[in-house]
Amino acid sequence: MYQLLRKLAHWIDARAGVSATLWPMMRHPVPRSIDGPMGWWYVFGSASMTFLLIQILTGIGLSMVYVPAADQAYESLLYLDYQQPWGWFLRSLHYYAGSGMVVMLLVHMTQVFLQGSYKYPRELTWVVGVLLLACTMGMFFTGQILRWDTDAYWGLAVGASMAGRVPVLGPEIVHTLLGGDIIGASSLSRFFALHVFIIPGALLTFLGIHLWLVLRCGISAPPKPGEIVDPKTYDATYHEELKRGVPFFGDALLKDIFFSALAVTIVVVIAAVVGPKGPTEPPDPTLAGANPRPEWPFLWLFGLLSLSPPAIETFIMLVFPVLVLGALFFVPFVSNRGERAPSRRPAAVLLVIVIYTTLGVLTYEGVQAPWSPVMDAWSGDPVPVNLVEGRTPLELQGAAVFQFKNCRNCHALEGIGGRRGPDLTTIGASLTRDQLITQISNGTPGGGNMPAYGKQMSPAEMEATVAFLISLRPDGQLPAGAVEDAPVEGTTPQPVELTE
Amino acid sequence: MNAPLPSSGKQLCPGGKPPRRAFFRLLTGALGAAATGLLTLPMLGYFFGRRHRPAMWVPMGDLSDFPLNETRTINFDNPLRQPWDGMTSMTGVHVRYQGKNDAGDEQFLVLAANCAHLGCPVSWFPQSGLFMCPCHGGVYYENGERASGPPPRGLFHCVWRVKEGKLEIEAPHYPTLHDTLTESLES
Amino acid sequence: MVACAAFVGCNDDFPGKPNPADRPLPQNEITDFATLFAQNCTGCHGADGELGPAPPLNDPLFLALIPDETLHAVIRDGRPGTPMPAFAAERGGTLSTEQVKIIAAGLKSHWPADKTEEVSDAAIVADAPPYLSSATILQLTPGATDQASTLFERACAECHSPNGAGGETGYASGGAINDRAFLALISDQALRRIIITGRHDLGMPNYAAPDGRPEDFKPLTSAEIDELVALLASWRRGDAAAGDAGK
Ligand code: FES
């Protein structure tokens, strides 16, 4: 039997020339130091590829059950989650392996940047790598849309609205993106095509080019301080180095395999323990209580958009992403020579730190989303009990009006409620009665964050609300603007003694 | 013309390419271009073309369903849908009856539910007379004007008419900043 | 091999396996009373239906007295002019007809009965004046004003001071109830309800409790409560005579 198989293999190889071409590729020499501990820096690219492989496998699996039609997609997701054996696990794994792929790509890219591996002659490898990152982000966005729930619907709406801001061509772009006049079946089908055919096609093509370039230019040696990259001499030096090199198909590959296996194990465990993401509520745009949030790789953009002043918003939506991509493309052309060791490139290290800190802060803000009103705070977040006890009937009524007029959606009391406006737990100590009335009636001057409530409240409602707000101050503290011993407006809160 | 045939095969065409071969190149180029065009144009039409349909009117309800100066949210199935849109084609608008104008015509305000900022669904809060957006905190007054937050303009107005005692609106497409719902009226 | 096959076949019970019961429900399909109550009522009526700015719902006396239709109607239509909004979608609210019904029905059965003994005993419930007043119009004749003021002095003045301007003790020290803004934001029916039930969560006695009231205080009758409400209503209108009430 074994003999037969061997014969068959030889027969095929003699005609296809597999071993003649592939074997040298696998055995291509890599710098000797990669065989040492420094080699652990080189495992992230292959880990991304392993995740990509999982994505392809799970993706094909999911496509056998998922229905990319607007009226059935949601149901097929529920079927995957609750009926199909292991369906939930495939969905879960597809999500977490995708996330892992983004993480690994970022780490890989950071490593390449920090160790200067993008310099001569590997500029093109970097450029193609940037394209791979763009494709992966595209996969993440389109994948979220395929999870056809409320978040997907509104994520698509926000994406379309951004595209709609393009001057002149905006409406055409939106129409093309949505495949029609409204968000619906064609939109989903388009994103299905993007997610399953178009972007993966591009991704695999770029990946092929990337790998070819890696083979052709060789794997860069770990940087040594003082070792200068000079395009004139680099090739000869590198060639010398490879003569002392070790074959890739050996211990170097072993590290890759070890790390990939570890990463896969972690992702599988996460997928099994945490379970699939969503789907949330069905994609009915008339459902109340929608609260759309982007997927995690885009939270920083959500944060950036929400925090930027409206005047430059369109710029950030349309031009900024192009600039970021352009900047990434240009990295190897700005500096393709010189030092590679991070210890000799403080500017590069600083840049990485600054970028990741910014991304981290923006992502945190995106998670918190303090700019979003809490839509049901007015009816669902109780007024803290100690802000109720000891209040006069008027103040109590004011608290009820405060809730009723949806103030709570933007203003927290004792940290609970919206955070778009300031927490008002101690507002009585800082604003006087007149200031409060002005603020409530006129809102933030110039159309800022607070709407003008002047026309939205009756005099009695205003009176009661202001009385309540004045009563909100730390124990024993006088209202803002009041002088000691002067007659005090409102009352000082006192703990109520139950008479029973 | 009378020159003897060259002995070497390479010298078949002294003094340039024979016209036959040049013509064939030209022909191949032209045919290739034509084939590409024939292939591309319908493809472009398929991907970027628009389906033109006459305006469609959706009934919102009897006039008596709308009390004076109160806002009602009406949900309907958008006729711009495709048959397999499912619940996705459900659309909500906010309707406010504003009484009669001097000429005695009924006046309505019909606002799209999509925030003018980035399209998120605004909710109507009758208590405070405000629309609030859950995404980035845009707020609008009851008349649809921008009250605060990032939206660059007020809510989008739908085109409406009163026909046989019923309020109808023109089926709204997905409105964006440069593609509002009242374009046809303004131009 | 067999183990593998078994594994593939059925056993996918990992912690991550989603449970159909946890599926996020669209807002209009929620039928669980506790969820609906938490989302829609607690903002004003308190986390457990008490200790909120609005009158407590977790109040056996109140729940025993209010007729089912009234409870349902108030949730559906709100109390116009006061901070009680209409919740029914057809009145501009957010809840379906079904959901309004669930809240109205759920209120009466949600809080366990043993609280009844704690707060007020069965006799108090049994003898209580009806939730709705039988009088159609509450109007005070000049003579009746004096009578109402006397009644107010006996029943309310201990805490709210004789002219309703607020006192030193009890529920809301300095609890002025002659404030026109306050009165403008509360309906006559709500006033009647609070006089009957008190606010057990904030220490205000009910119609029968003797706390802080004269020795010979007798539980208030329905007609007496009408009078008190009429007196408060006259303060709301700012009637000249009533403004000086009790001075
Ligand atoms: S989409 Fe409404 S504020 Fe941004």
Side-chain angles (χ1 to χ4, degrees):
Chain A
M1 183 69 182
Y2 177 71
Q3 280 303 320
L4 208 68
L5 280 182
R6 261 183 80 92
K7 263 196 188 142
L8 183 66
H10 275 300
W11 187 88
I12 293 175
D13 195 29
R15 282 151 188 84
V18 175
S19 64
T21 47
L22 277 190
W23 188 237
M25 278 192 202
M26 296 306 293
R27 299 282 303 173
H28 76 279
V30 297
R32 180 158 288 276
S33 44
I34 292 181
D35 204 13
M38 278 311 276
W40 288 109
W41 284 109
Y42 290 73
V43 297
F44 305 113
S46 61
S48 324
M49 250 169 67
T50 310
F51 281 140
L52 176 63
L53 198 69
I54 297 187
Q55 289 305 81
I56 295 175
L57 288 177
T58 50
I60 291 177
L62 290 173
S63 75
M64 293 176 181
V65 175
Y66 176 77
V67 183
D71 55 348
Q72 282 168 359
Y74 186 79
E75 245 176 278
S76 68
L77 289 170
L78 294 185
Y79 181 88
L80 275 167
D81 266 6
Y82 304 130
Q83 315 278 323
Q84 170 73 33
W86 296 97
W88 65 271
F89 179 76
L90 242 70
R91 285 200 57 229
S92 185
L93 189 59
H94 199 63
Y95 178 75
Y96 289 104
S99 300
M101 189 171 152
V102 173
V103 172
M104 283 305 136
L105 272 186
L106 289 179
V107 177
H108 176 54
M109 213 164 160
T110 312
Q111 173 259 327
V112 165
F113 180 74
L114 279 179
Q115 300 194 339
S117 309
Y118 62 87
K119 298 193 178 198
Y120 180 88
R122 301 182 182 84
E123 299 97 326
L124 195 57
T125 324
W126 168 274
V127 168
V128 177
V130 172
L131 289 174
L132 282 171
L133 180 72
C135 285
T136 309
M137 298 297 268
M139 288 301 280
F140 222 105
F141 182 75
T142 51
Q144 186 196 353
I145 304 297
L146 296 197
R147 197 205 297 135
W148 197 235
D149 55 11
T150 1
D151 280 4
Y153 182 95
W154 294 114
L156 188 48
V158 169
S161 291
M162 286 192 189
R165 292 203 172 199
V166 175
V168 187
L169 282 181
E172 284 311 315
I173 298 179
V174 173
H175 197 271
T176 305
L177 206 61
L178 298 184
D181 294 318
I182 59 172
I183 298 175
S186 302
S187 325
L188 177 60
S189 297
R190 280 184 186 223
F191 277 82
F192 183 74
L194 278 171
H195 188 78
V196 175
F197 300 114
I198 302 171
I199 304 182
L203 190 91
L204 291 178
T205 311
F206 290 137
L207 180 63
I209 301 177
H210 195 72
L211 290 179
W212 167 252
L213 288 171
V214 169
L215 280 179
R216 209 183 125 67
C217 308
I219 292 173
S220 68
K224 287 198 204 76
E227 219 176 58
I228 305 280
V229 174
D230 181 352
K232 282 199 208 74
T233 58
Y234 183 85
D235 289 332
T237 328
Y238 184 68
H239 202 71
E240 276 310 303
E241 189 159 6
L242 280 195
K243 282 196 181 139
R244 285 174 284 113
V246 292
F248 169 72
F249 197 85
D251 288 348
L253 184 62
L254 211 58
K255 287 200 186 71
D256 281 341
I257 295 176
F258 177 87
F259 183 76
S260 287
L262 184 71
V264 169
T265 312
I266 292 174
V267 161
V268 167
V269 169
I270 292 179
V273 172
V274 183
K277 176 135 197 246
T280 60
E281 292 84 354
D284 178 349
T286 60
L287 284 182
N291 190 14
R293 290 286 177 271
E295 273 299 340
W296 70 265
F298 304 99
L299 277 173
W300 65 276
L301 198 60
F302 178 47
L304 183 67
L305 274 179
S306 305
L307 294 174
S308 59
I312 60 162
E313 211 175 43
T314 306
F315 173 83
I316 290 188
M317 274 173 224
L318 304 176
V319 186
F320 183 73
V322 180
L323 286 185
V324 170
L325 217 59
L328 284 174
F329 277 140
F330 267 100
V331 163
F333 304 105
V334 173
S335 71
N336 75 334
R337 55 182 68 219
E339 284 282 0
R340 284 182 53 210
S343 56
R344 296 287 174 91
R345 292 163 62 232
V349 177
L350 198 67
L351 195 65
V352 168
I353 294 175
V354 169
I355 289 176
Y356 275 102
T357 317
T358 317
L359 286 181
V361 170
L362 286 175
T363 303
Y364 175 80
E365 287 293 314
V367 173
Q368 299 287 316
W371 49 81
S372 293
V374 179
M375 301 297 266
D376 58 357
W378 70 281
S379 63
D381 283 347
V383 178
V385 169
N386 62 328
L387 301 187
V388 170
E389 285 177 335
R391 291 305 184 280
T392 68
L394 177 66
E395 288 159 3
L396 285 180
Q397 215 63 11
V401 173
F402 181 81
Q403 297 285 105
F404 175 74
K405 290 288 172 187
N406 319 113
C407 308
R408 194 74 183 278
N409 291 14
C410 294
H411 291 287
L413 293 176
E414 296 194 336
I416 298 169
R419 280 173 301 146
R420 182 156 178 80
D423 188 314
L424 298 181
T425 315
T426 58
I427 190 70
S430 42
L431 288 190
T432 66
R433 183 188 149 82
D434 286 351
Q435 287 169 328
L436 282 168
I437 293 180
T438 313
Q439 177 68 40
I440 297 173
S441 311
N442 302 346
T444 316
N449 282 343
M450 175 158 170
Y453 268 83
K455 291 208 199 80
Q456 327 290 335
M457 288 173 97
S458 72
E461 285 169 337
M462 180 69 84
E463 185 73 25
T465 309
V466 170
F468 171 62
L469 294 177
I470 290 176
S471 80
L472 294 182
R473 32 181 215 275
D475 275 349
Q477 199 161 327
L478 289 173
V483 193
E484 200 94 38
D485 291 335
V488 167
E489 257 168 330
T491 48
T492 315
Q494 290 166 9
V496 72
E497 259 119 58
L498 294 179
T499 39
E500 277 99 327
Chain B
M1 274 294 173
N2 294 333
L5 280 172
S7 54
S8 151
K10 277 181 197 158
Q11 300 277 315
L12 245 162
C13 322
K17 299 167 196 154
R20 207 159 35 102
R21 183 145 297 194
F23 172 71
F24 186 62
R25 281 192 186 198
L26 209 70
L27 192 66
T28 309
L31 194 62
T36 314
L38 283 175
L39 188 69
T40 311
L41 289 179
M43 292 294 273
L44 287 181
Y46 179 83
F47 284 117
F48 301 103
R50 276 184 187 241
R51 185 152 65 115
H52 287 285
R53 307 187 246 200
M56 280 180 271
W57 293 89
V58 197
M60 293 285 105
D62 293 330
L63 293 187
S64 56
D65 292 350
F66 303 102
L68 183 64
N69 289 334
E70 281 189 41
T71 298
R72 290 284 181 270
T73 303
I74 305 292
N75 297 331
F76 58 94
D77 198 353
N78 198 327
L80 298 177
R81 72 184 315 221
Q82 277 160 324
W84 57 97
D85 264 0
M87 61 177 82
T88 317
S89 60
M90 291 302 289
T91 310
V93 292
H94 301 284
V95 180
R96 191 178 181 85
Y97 177 49
Q98 298 180 307
K100 292 188 200 304
N101 67 1
D102 296 341
D105 297 329
E106 312 283 354
Q107 289 301 303
F108 280 93
L109 183 68
V110 184
L111 301 168
N114 298 98
C115 183
H117 179 226
L118 289 177
C120 286
V122 296
S123 297
W124 166 240
F125 289 92
Q127 303 85 15
S128 46
L130 297 172
F131 295 96
M132 292 190 194
C133 176
C135 285
H136 319 96
V139 182
Y140 306 84
Y141 292 117
E142 54 210 356
N143 58 6
E145 272 166 32
R146 171 186 179 278
S148 71
R153 49 161 287 163
L155 288 171
F156 299 108
H157 290 233
C158 297
V159 180
W160 57 270
R161 71 178 182 198
V162 174
K163 202 179 177 194
E164 288 153 16
K166 282 195 193 317
L167 175 69
E168 296 185 341
I169 67 166
E170 197 183 300
H173 61 82
Y174 181 74
T176 52
L177 213 49
H178 300 312
D179 191 14
T180 62
L181 298 169
T182 47
E183 221 110 87
S184 50
L185 290 190
E186 281 155 11
S187 60
Chain C
M1 265 306 267
V2 176
C4 257
F7 186 74
V8 168
C10 48
N11 192 8
D12 62 351
D13 275 337
F14 284 92
K17 183 172 182 174
N19 180 354
D22 303 336
R23 183 160 79 85
L25 278 181
Q27 207 263 345
N28 59 2
E29 277 175 33
I30 299 174
T31 51
D32 171 45
F33 169 80
T35 315
L36 286 173
F37 183 82
Q39 285 177 353
N40 297 286
C41 314
T42 54
C44 293
H45 291 286
D48 193 31
E50 58 184 3
L51 287 169
L57 302 175
N58 179 2
D59 177 347
L61 184 51
F62 162 71
L63 291 174
L65 292 182
I66 185 165
D68 290 351
E69 316 81 70
T70 314
L71 187 59
H72 183 249
V74 170
I75 299 170
R76 188 186 58 217
D77 306 333
R79 286 193 196 279
T82 79
M84 174 71 194
F87 280 92
E90 69 267 23
R91 306 291 153 113
T94 52
L95 299 185
S96 67
T97 318
E98 200 49 41
Q99 288 171 318
V100 170
K101 278 202 194 109
I102 291 169
I103 294 185
L107 282 172
K108 293 226 171 183
S109 54
H110 183 61
W111 287 285
D114 64 293
K115 197 125 193 209
T116 315
E117 281 107 62
E118 239 179 78
V119 184
S120 62
D121 58 45
I124 289 196
V125 173
D127 298 342
Y131 180 81
L132 297 171
S133 163
S134 48
T136 37
I137 313 168
L138 299 175
Q139 264 299 352
L140 283 185
T141 55
T145 309
D146 291 340
Q147 202 184 323
S149 303
T150 322
L151 189 60
F152 186 87
E153 206 146 329
R154 287 170 56 80
C156 321
E158 176 67 23
C159 296
H160 295 295
S161 92
N163 58 358
E168 295 297 315
T169 58
Y171 150 48
S173 57
I177 49 171
N178 65 351
D179 187 292
R180 287 179 62 189
F182 162 69
L183 290 167
L185 295 172
I186 189 165
S187 68
D188 287 351
Q189 179 55 50
L191 286 170
R192 178 181 173 89
R193 178 250 148 123
I194 291 195
I195 296 173
I196 299 176
T197 64
R199 282 204 65 163
H200 68 82
D201 52 345
L202 294 177
M204 171 174 171
N206 62 32
Y207 74 100
D211 322 333
R213 284 164 170 161
E215 294 283 284
D216 56 346
F217 177 78
K218 291 223 184 54
L220 295 164
T221 66
S222 181
E224 285 174 328
I225 293 172
D226 280 344
E227 271 176 43
L228 287 174
V229 172
L231 180 69
L232 289 165
S234 70
W235 292 347
R236 177 194 294 138
R237 288 190 304 272
D239 291 358
D244 307 328
K247 277 222 175 121

